[in-house]
């Protein structure tokens, strides 16, 4: 019964792993086919009274050449006769218990640990955002709330913010206040944030 349960557990995991399982069972000397044949033999003998000895010999030769097919056929017959119901119930219970254990031990801790921390924005990004908002509020690069040339505005804001940021990091004198209206606006906003 233990061998059959092992095989049934192996069969639920797919073709490749089942093949590997059969190879493992062969190396370990687990008699999967013997159990199936022993359980099927009485039922088969009742239905196969007229089968000759040659046919049985051919079946045995086929089973020796393809043990996987023999085991699969034996398990299919056992399933059809209802002998595997208890094993399937037990394996179903084990599978459910195993999945619950995996959830409890591995998946839930990952969910708890996997919460994303809120990303902190650095001062430079805040300064650039504030500079763009300042340009949007003014009428110098389009109507209020509209920027006619957003690429040009972004380039202007990042250039001014980076020069102020670099001066702060190097602890040198800040650059002179620009003369253009938009440049002065951006300079004042970014200096306030980076300052």
């Amino acid at each position: 019964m233990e061998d059959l349960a092992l095989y049934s557990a192996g069969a639920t995991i797919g073709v490749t792993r089942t093949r590997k399982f059969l190879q493992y069972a062969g190396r370990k000397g687990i008699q999967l086919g013997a159990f199936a044949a022993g359980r099927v033999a009485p039922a088969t003998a009742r239905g196969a009274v007229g089968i000759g000895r040659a046919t049985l010999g051919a079946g045995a030769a086929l089973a020796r050449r393809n043990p996987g097919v023999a085991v699969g056929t034996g398990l299919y017959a056992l399933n059809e006769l209802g002998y595997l119901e208890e094993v399937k119930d037990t394996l179903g219970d084990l599978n459910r218990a195993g999945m619950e254990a995996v959830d409890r031990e591995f998946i839930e801790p990952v969910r708890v640990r996997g919460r994303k921390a809120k990303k902190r924005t650095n001062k430079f990004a805040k300064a650039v955002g504030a500079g763009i908002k300042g340009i949007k509020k003014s009428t110098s690069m389009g109507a209020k709330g509209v920027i006619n040339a957003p690429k040009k505005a972004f380039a202007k804001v990042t250039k001014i913010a980076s020069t102020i940021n670099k001066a702060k990091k190097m602890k040198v004198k800040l650059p002179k206040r620009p003369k253009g209206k938009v440049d002065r606006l951006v300079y004042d906003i970014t200096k306030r944030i980076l300052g």
Side-chain angles (χ1 to χ4, degrees):
M1 196 65 164
E2 183 184 45
D3 295 340
L4 183 60
L6 282 171
Y7 178 74
S8 297
T12 60
I13 57 176
V15 176
T16 304
R17 289 195 180 108
T18 303
R19 181 175 44 76
K20 289 180 180 178
F21 176 79
L22 287 172
Q23 291 170 349
Y24 172 78
R27 283 195 308 268
K28 293 292 182 182
I30 299 172
Q31 298 291 319
L32 297 174
F35 178 79
R39 292 293 281 233
V40 173
T44 309
R46 273 183 255 133
V49 176
I51 295 179
R53 193 173 189 167
T55 309
L56 289 174
L62 178 67
R64 273 194 298 275
R65 272 187 252 124
N66 300 311
V69 172
V71 170
T73 306
L75 286 172
Y76 176 75
L78 284 173
N79 188 37
E80 291 298 312
L81 293 172
Y83 289 115
L84 297 182
E85 294 306 315
E86 183 182 328
V87 174
K88 287 194 294 187
D89 291 342
T90 305
L91 288 174
D93 294 342
L94 287 173
N95 189 21
R96 278 188 290 282
M99 291 308 289
E100 288 170 5
V102 166
D103 282 348
R104 191 173 48 254
E105 296 297 322
F106 299 107
I107 295 180
E108 288 179 16
V110 169
R111 282 190 197 131
V112 170
R113 264 187 277 131
R115 288 194 186 127
K116 284 188 178 179
K118 192 174 180 184
K119 195 173 179 183
R120 277 180 47 202
T121 52
N122 57 18
K123 281 187 172 184
F124 179 77
K126 283 181 185 174
V128 169
I132 294 289
K133 283 179 187 170
I135 290 176
K136 217 171 187 180
K137 284 180 184 175
S138 75
T139 56
S140 52
M141 289 191 95
K144 244 185 186 179
V146 177
I147 300 174
N148 288 342
K151 282 185 180 180
K152 194 174 180 183
F154 184 76
K156 191 175 286 221
V157 171
T158 52
K159 184 178 178 186
I160 294 170
S162 68
T163 55
I164 294 172
N165 197 29
K166 189 175 182 182
K168 289 281 184 183
K169 282 186 175 180
M170 299 293 190
K171 295 183 180 174
V172 294
K173 193 175 170 185
L174 288 175
K176 286 186 179 176
R177 193 165 180 249
K179 293 188 180 187
K181 183 180 174 186
V182 178
D183 293 347
R184 269 185 290 149
L185 174 78
V186 171
Y187 181 88
D188 293 341
I189 291 170
T190 52
K191 184 180 168 193
R192 197 176 322 124
I193 290 172
L194 293 172

